[in-house]
Amino acid sequence: MNGSPTVPLSGSLACCTRRTGPEPELAYSLDEPFWHQGLATEAARAARDWMFSHCYVPRLVSFIMRENEPSQRVAARLGGVRDGSLMLRGFAVERWVYPAPGAGVQV
């Protein structure tokens, strides 16, 4: 790195397919010092838009812990619709669906 400054990691974002189903998952996480600045919404929106414009998927899903109301608000801001609850890796989560533009929500 030759003396270049290090930048702290602020969070993570992923679009991936998991064993939870055939739909690609939009997953995001932000470290506490970066909360309440709109960063999660901005990053997740950019990833969602990229997936819809480059991968041509009909929808994305997110799995958000029931008590994580800030992440649920991010999902709602992105046009996500709550589509039920389930246990995932031992955690109670809500399943959120993001339809592709013009696709509508099909659950």
Side-chain angles (χ1 to χ4, degrees), residues 20-87:
T20 53
E23 297 117 341
E25 179 181 353
L26 174 62
Y28 48 89
S29 174
L30 202 59
D31 290 344
E32 189 171 357
F34 302 96
W35 291 357
H36 309 294
Q37 299 176 45
L39 298 173
T41 301
E42 182 179 351
R45 179 176 286 124
R48 178 207 61 189
D49 293 350
W50 190 91
M51 285 292 291
F52 286 142
S53 66
H54 289 82
C55 298
Y56 311 106
V57 295
R59 65 186 184 175
L60 298 169
V61 296
S62 288
F63 300 98
I64 302 172
M65 294 177 64
R66 289 181 185 163
E67 64 275 6
N68 190 342
E69 293 178 11
S71 284
Q72 292 177 22
R73 287 192 295 273
V74 168
R77 279 188 214 106
L78 297 179
V81 176
R82 193 182 323 231
D83 182 38
S85 303
L86 63 137
M87 293 298 290

Side-chain angles (χ1 to χ4, degrees), residues 6-13 29-31 33-34:
T6 58
V7 177
L9 183 64
S10 59
S12 62
L13 176 73
S29 174
L30 202 59
D31 290 344
F34 302 96

Side-chain angles (χ1 to χ4, degrees), residues 78-99:
L78 297 179
V81 176
R82 193 182 323 231
D83 182 38
S85 303
L86 63 137
M87 293 298 290
L88 183 62
R89 295 185 290 277
F91 295 97
V93 298
E94 302 289 335
R95 181 177 185 267
W96 286 75
V97 175
Y98 310 90

